[in-house]
């Protein structure tokens, strides 16, 4: 490993969190994982300059010199994002307390998986569903479909307004969910897909993924070292290549047909993503949770409903008619994890 002298600037792209032993504060900048002293006041969206004297791993830095160039509160958009996240977290706390269901809802909707107790997080990883419990590309697809469906149902907006609004809302959610590399990859990919529709040249999944990867690596080459980014790209590529039915927007003629196709799509998608990411997972972690094919098939369908109702709870508060079904679905999810994690 070679030593280098360098510095770089960027915004904190991950909600800072304390490590399990409370000895370090962790966050990401430009795809680089940084750990510093727990007493530092660093917030999501802060513009920081990292001064590196020597290091041996371009994707992992311990206790570098950190200079805050601009606080997130000084940026209107990031202030709105942080205030919205705080409101969501407050409403989730009011509705679910500190329960595992509440932790899981925070992870699914806001990407805040750092608040999980260590036992639950280990179980989620062991049964191959940790990606569900942290905002990912799946969430972006749900938000995009939800947005286009709602705006289209209004019947007063043209295709230009719908696609532009969808892109804006998708990116706002990407920031709200913590702006991880996998979430940004999905938001970029969906943006290319929307622009393709806008200009009358709908992009296939492979083309949208290709340009999303090129754009992100051009913007920030450090993303190539981000494990989440690697797995997200591999999973999406596998779904596209191994599952020919991959599409951003699906229409069905009947509920029975929708149910049948949804079950088939869930199974195909799970198998495709597992096979595509298995080499990377083995390389990084020296194990592959094959049981994830079963657990994802049994649990992944809940994410769509939990996401939509969770967003409503975040906006309107813990209304019981919204909390009850979310709580039931999360308990089912946790039961699956417990069943296969024993």
């Amino acid at each position: 490993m070679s030593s280098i002298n360098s510095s770089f600037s960027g915004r904190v792209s991950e909600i800072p969190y304390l490590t399990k032993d409370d000895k370090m504060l962790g966050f990401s900048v430009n795809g680089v994982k940084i750990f510093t002293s727990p007493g530092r006041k660093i917030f999501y969206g802060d513009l920081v300059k990292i001064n590196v004297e020597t290091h041996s791993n371009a994707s992992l830095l311990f206790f570098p010199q950190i200079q805050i160039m601009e606080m997130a509160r000084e940026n209107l958009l990031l202030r709105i994002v942080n205030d919205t996240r705080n409101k969501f977290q407050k409403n989730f706390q009011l509705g679910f307390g500190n329960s595992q269901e509440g932790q899981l809802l925070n992870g699914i909707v806001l990407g805040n998986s750092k608040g999980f107790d260590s036992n639950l997080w280990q179980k989620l990883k062991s049964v191959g569903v940790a990606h569900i419990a942290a905002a990912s590309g799946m969430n972006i697809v749900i938000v995009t479909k939800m947005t286009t469906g709602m705006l289209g149902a209004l019947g007063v907006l043209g295709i230009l307004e719908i696609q532009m609004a969808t892109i804006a809302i998708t990116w706002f959610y990407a920031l709200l969910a913590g702006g991880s590399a996998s979430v940004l990859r999905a938001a970029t990919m969906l943006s290319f897909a929307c622009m393709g529709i806008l200009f009358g040249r709908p992009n296939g999944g492979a083309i949208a993924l290709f340009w999303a990867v090129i754009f992100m690596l051009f913007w920030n080459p450090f993303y190539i070292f981000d494990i989440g980014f690697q797995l997200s790209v591999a999973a999406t590529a596998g779904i596209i290549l191994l599952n020919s039915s991959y599409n951003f927007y699906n229409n069905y003629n009947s509920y029975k047909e929708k149910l049948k196709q949804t079950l088939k799509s869930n199974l195909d998608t799970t198998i495709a993503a597992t096979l595509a990411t298995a080499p990377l997972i083995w390389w990084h972690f020296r194990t592959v949770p094959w049981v994830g094919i079963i657990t994802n098939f049994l649990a992944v369908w809940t994410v769509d409903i939990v996401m939509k109702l969770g967003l409503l709870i975040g906006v309107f508060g813990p209304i019981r008619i919204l909390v009850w079904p979310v709580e039931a679905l999360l308990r089912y999810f946790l039961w699956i994890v417990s069943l296969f994690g024993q």
Side-chain angles (χ1 to χ4, degrees):
M1 299 285 184
S2 60
S3 297
I4 60 176
N5 298 312
S6 64
S7 65
F8 61 92
S9 300
R11 292 198 178 273
V12 176
S13 58
E14 179 183 22
I15 301 171
Y17 62 95
L18 288 174
T19 54
K20 296 299 182 183
D21 56 8
D22 293 333
K23 293 183 178 180
M24 293 186 292
L25 182 74
F27 58 94
S28 295
V29 176
N30 291 350
V32 179
K33 180 69 73 173
I34 298 170
F35 291 96
T36 188
S37 59
R40 291 298 303 267
K41 298 296 184 182
I42 296 175
F43 300 94
Y44 174 74
D46 284 352
L47 178 63
V48 297
K49 181 178 181 181
I50 309 297
N51 299 304
V52 186
E53 294 182 358
T54 59
H55 66 86
S56 58
N57 187 334
S59 62
L60 187 63
L61 299 175
F62 290 94
F63 303 101
Q65 290 184 338
I66 303 172
Q67 180 182 358
I68 298 179
M69 310 293 289
E70 179 189 71
M71 296 183 66
R73 299 295 300 179
E74 298 171 1
N75 183 292
L76 178 60
L77 174 60
L78 292 176
R79 185 163 69 246
I80 294 173
V81 169
N82 283 322
D83 288 345
T84 302
R85 183 187 298 108
N86 291 335
K87 177 183 178 181
F88 274 45
Q89 289 176 332
K90 180 181 178 180
N91 285 336
F92 292 165
Q93 174 70 22
L94 289 173
F96 300 88
N98 295 318
S99 64
Q100 289 190 336
E101 291 82 4
Q103 295 174 32
L104 195 56
L105 183 62
N106 262 288
I108 292 174
V109 177
L110 298 177
N112 185 17
S113 60
K114 301 301 186 296
F116 286 29
D117 67 63
S118 57
N119 183 51
L120 174 59
W121 185 242
Q122 286 301 321
K123 280 189 175 182
L124 292 169
K125 291 195 294 184
S126 69
V127 299
V129 294
H131 66 98
I132 298 177
S136 63
M138 184 192 312
N139 302 61
I140 293 293
V141 173
I142 293 172
V143 169
T144 300
K145 288 186 174 182
M146 186 178 178
T147 302
T148 54
M150 292 175 62
L151 295 179
L154 293 176
V156 296
L157 298 178
I159 187 170
L160 173 62
E161 291 82 3
I162 290 176
Q163 298 306 319
M164 294 303 294
T166 298
I167 292 173
I169 293 173
T170 296
W171 276 98
F172 183 83
Y173 174 74
L175 296 175
L176 184 68
S180 67
S182 60
V183 168
L184 295 180
R185 188 278 310 161
T188 304
M189 184 176 173
L190 266 297
S191 297
F192 278 114
C194 288
M195 286 188 289
I197 295 173
L198 184 61
F199 291 107
R201 299 182 62 181
N203 294 319
I207 295 175
L209 176 62
F210 172 79
W211 285 113
V213 172
I214 294 298
F215 177 83
M216 288 191 66
L217 293 181
F218 177 79
W219 178 262
N220 179 9
F222 283 105
Y223 279 133
I224 196 68
F225 300 109
D226 190 289
I227 297 175
F229 177 74
Q230 296 172 12
L231 293 174
S232 175
V233 172
T236 306
I239 293 169
I240 293 170
L241 295 175
L242 301 179
N243 181 5
S244 60
S245 64
Y246 184 89
N247 199 343
F248 291 116
Y249 308 102
N250 293 313
N251 296 305
Y252 306 103
N253 295 324
S254 67
Y255 179 80
K256 183 177 180 180
E257 180 184 353
K258 179 179 180 180
L259 178 61
K260 179 181 177 181
Q261 290 298 321
T262 298
L263 291 174
K264 180 181 183 301
S265 178
N266 284 347
L267 181 59
D268 291 347
T269 298
T270 298
I271 294 174
T274 301
L275 293 177
T277 57
L280 276 172
I281 293 175
W282 175 259
W283 174 261
H284 288 294
F285 307 110
R286 292 297 185 268
T287 183
V288 178
W290 294 109
V291 70
I293 294 178
I294 301 174
T295 53
N296 275 269
F297 176 71
L298 293 175
V300 74
W301 64 271
T302 63
V303 176
D304 183 84
I305 304 173
V306 169
M307 261 292 295
K308 292 173 181 175
L309 295 182
L311 290 172
L312 293 176
I313 292 173
V315 173
F316 299 109
I319 304 170
R320 295 312 301 173
I321 197 172
L322 298 175
V323 170
W324 286 338
V326 170
E327 191 171 39
L329 288 171
L330 292 174
R331 285 181 178 176
Y332 165 78
F333 186 104
L334 291 169
W335 176 73
I336 293 294
V337 171
S338 178
L339 179 65
F340 288 89
Q342 293 178 354

